[in-house]
């Protein structure tokens, strides 16, 4: 059998088995069920506004570094990206302890206020004409520190807004709001950079954080779901590492997603280089690439919001499809064809990330969730400082196409390796069909029952150990 067809069949089969979790017809109410809760509606609305500003700033930041402060230096853009994500790697475990220990709503107000201050300050420096490359490095690092503390709190706070059974839907809608903003933000930023300048884009981003603060203040505290907080005690960071180490499915998940994120999810870098260098386009076309990527991402997030159960094989299948579609995208000869290929890349990337997020949150006890999500953010976001300079160097000294291709190859290798390991470890049955899905993956009933019981038992044992004073 043709190996490429076989690999494509694996990715298609893995995704197809989860794209059809039941035979019920598509219902809009099921997709947007979490919006029925008042506090979540506020959170969702504030997040959309804030995320639009975030994506505007990312586009403006990279464009200023690439075209104003350097002469098309992919390495410089890679360094900015690395500095923005380095704090996740260094501060991740500590940020997780803070998220488990303190009231999340107050922490979020602090992080949003800090991000607003940094955005407005950077905009002022740019408008005054005093910006230098080291300023961009410093602000990227400072924003990364704020984001490192904000992300685990933001992710775990969702469980206070909706019932546990609605958590996968809420996580999916969070990703949908992020990518709806990604659909709007880059395109708006492209025209704004060309029309009013990058400085005003940074200031607008700073002001959008006010929307999240207002949403947090207006929430009905009596309707927030209480969840167990971790008590202050020594060794809490080690507890988080022990918990993850005791769950092999989480270890596999983190290895796959971190590898894909490190070498494949460098869109803000590779898109800028492809638009500027490979296709000879301007800021508007660069912003449009981000918006088209978001079309696929939004579709993946909305599909994830409809799922009530997440399995590891969905995440692995999405990672494999991402690698394959990224390879196709790297080979596209024209700008319009490149845009078309972006949709599948965005869809597979967000299916992987959203499903991984929901899988971790729904299978982790509340008093450990902040630390586990911080470790997840650390390996996913913290891997970017390692990968961005590498991808930037490849793009600058080899070609932007190979910068994307390197991530595609790495994603295929790690996803395929994890699939092979999972088949052996969990004794998955693999059946080939001539019709769709090309490959069907399922657990034997007896084996699945035994494995599910073992996972629950292992998780409960870890909960018992970590709950002891």
């Amino acid at each position: 059998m043709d190996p490429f067809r076989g690999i494509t069949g694996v990715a298609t089969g893995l995704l197809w088995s989860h794209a059809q979790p039941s035979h019920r017809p598509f219902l809009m109410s099921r997709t947007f069920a979490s919006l029925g809760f008042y506090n979540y509606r506020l959170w969702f609305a504030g997040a959309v506004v804030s995320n639009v500003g975030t994506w505007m700033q990312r586009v403006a930041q990279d464009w200023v570094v690439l075209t104003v402060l350097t002469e098309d230096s992919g390495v410089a853009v890679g360094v900015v990206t690395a500095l923005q994500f380095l704090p996740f790697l260094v501060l991740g475990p500590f940020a997780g302890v803070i998220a488990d220990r303190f009231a999340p709503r107050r922490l979020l107000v602090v992080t949003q206020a800090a991000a607003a201050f940094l955005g407005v300050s950077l905009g002022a420096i740019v408008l005054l004409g005093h910006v230098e490359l080291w300023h961009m490095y410093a602000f990227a690092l400072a924003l990364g520190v704020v984001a490192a503390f904000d992300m685990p709190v933001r992710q775990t706070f969702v469980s206070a807004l909706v019932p546990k059974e609605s958590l996968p839907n809420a996580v999916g809608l969070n990703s949908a709001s992020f990518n709806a903003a990604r659909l709007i933000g880059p395109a708006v930023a492209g025209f704004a950079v060309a029309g009013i300048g990058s400085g005003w884009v940074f200031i607008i981003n700073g002001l959008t954080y006010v929307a999240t603060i207002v949403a947090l203040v207006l929430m009905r505290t009596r309707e927030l779901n209480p969840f167990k907080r971790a008590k202050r005690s020594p060794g809490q960071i080690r507890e988080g590492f022990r918990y993850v180490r005791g769950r092999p499915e989480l270890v596999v998940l983190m290895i796959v997603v971190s590898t894909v994120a490190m070498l494949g999810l460098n869109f803000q870098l590779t898109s800028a280089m492809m638009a500027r260098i490979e296709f000879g386009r301007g800021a508007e076309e660069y912003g449009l690439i981000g918006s088209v990527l978001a079309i696929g991402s939004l579709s993946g997030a909305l599909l994830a919001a409809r799922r009530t159960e997440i399995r590891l094989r969905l995440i692995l299948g999405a990672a494999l499809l991402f690698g394959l579609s990224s390879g196709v995208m790297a080979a596209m000869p024209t700008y319009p064809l490149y845009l078309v290929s972006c949709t599948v890349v965005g869809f597979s990337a967000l299916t992987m990330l959203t499903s991984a997020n929901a899988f971790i949150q729904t299978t982790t006890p509340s008093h450990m969730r902040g630390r586990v999500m911080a470790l997840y953010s650390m390996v996913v976001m913290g891997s970017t400082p390692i990968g961005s300079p590498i991808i930037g160097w490849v793009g600058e000294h080899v070609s932007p196409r190979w910068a994307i291709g390197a991530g595609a190859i790495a994603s295929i290798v790690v996803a395929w390796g994890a699939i092979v390991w999972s088949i052996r470890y969990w004794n998955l049955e693999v059946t080939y069909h001539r019709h769709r899905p090309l490959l069907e993956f399922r657990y034997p009933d007896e084996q699945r029952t035994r494995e599910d019981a073992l996972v629950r038992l292992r998780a409960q044992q870890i909960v018992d150990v970590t709950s002891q004073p």
Side-chain angles (χ1 to χ4, degrees), residues 130-409:
H130 300 315
V131 66
E132 298 179 14
L133 186 59
W134 74 268
H135 289 135
M136 301 301 291
Y137 288 163
F139 274 95
L141 181 62
L143 284 167
V145 171
V146 174
F149 284 95
D150 177 80
M151 183 163 289
V153 184
R154 175 182 293 273
Q155 291 176 332
T156 57
F157 184 59
V158 178
S159 63
L161 303 177
V162 298
K164 184 177 180 179
E165 60 271 15
S166 298
L167 189 56
N169 177 259
V171 171
L173 288 180
N174 274 0
S175 296
S177 73
F178 184 75
N179 286 282
R182 185 179 180 181
L183 186 64
I184 301 169
V188 172
F191 289 106
V193 168
I196 61 177
S198 301
W200 285 108
V201 173
F202 295 137
I203 288 180
I204 291 171
N205 171 58
L207 296 177
T208 60
Y209 289 104
V210 176
T212 303
I213 296 175
V214 171
L216 291 166
V217 171
L218 293 179
M219 285 183 180
R220 299 169 183 168
T221 55
R222 66 182 182 276
E223 296 181 11
L224 293 174
N225 300 322
F227 56 89
K228 185 178 179 181
R229 295 183 193 168
K231 296 181 180 179
R232 184 183 181 89
S233 63
Q236 288 182 310
I237 293 178
R238 289 195 300 273
E239 274 185 352
F241 280 104
R242 281 199 302 268
Y243 178 84
V244 172
R245 190 173 63 244
R247 293 187 56 189
E249 69 276 16
L250 292 188
V251 175
V252 171
L253 181 154
M254 290 186 181
I255 290 173
V256 171
V257 178
S258 63
T259 302
V260 174
M262 178 173 62
L263 298 174
L265 298 181
N266 290 287
F267 297 139
Q268 62 187 97
L269 167 60
T270 55
S271 295
M273 298 184 72
M274 288 294 292
R276 173 80 173 178
I277 300 170
E278 198 69 29
F279 298 121
R281 304 296 178 118
E284 294 93 339
E285 289 83 1
Y286 167 41
L288 186 59
I289 291 176
S291 295
V292 175
L293 277 167
I295 293 174
S297 300
L298 183 59
S299 301
L302 290 175
L303 184 60
R306 297 189 67 242
R307 296 188 180 96
T308 57
E309 182 182 12
I310 305 294
R311 285 188 178 274
L312 182 63
R313 66 176 180 259
L314 170 65
I315 303 166
L316 301 184
L320 183 58
L321 182 61
F322 171 81
L324 295 170
S325 57
S326 293
V328 172
M329 182 175 70
M332 288 295 100
T334 65
Y335 178 76
L337 289 176
Y338 184 85
L339 288 180
V340 172
S341 66
C342 285
T343 56
V344 181
V345 173
F347 172 82
S348 55
L350 255 292
T351 298
M352 177 190 68
L353 293 173
T354 303
S355 300
N357 190 315
F359 181 85
I360 294 174
Q361 291 211 52
T362 54
T363 60
T364 302
S366 61
H367 70 285
M368 291 292 299
R369 196 171 293 144
R371 278 166 284 180
V372 174
M373 291 307 299
L375 290 176
Y376 171 72
S377 299
M378 183 182 74
V379 300
V380 175
M381 310 294 283
S383 61
T384 302
I386 302 172
S388 290
I390 297 173
I391 296 301
W393 184 91
V394 172
E396 184 174 340
H397 295 282
V398 183
S399 77
R401 293 186 185 279
W402 272 108
I404 299 173
I409 294 170

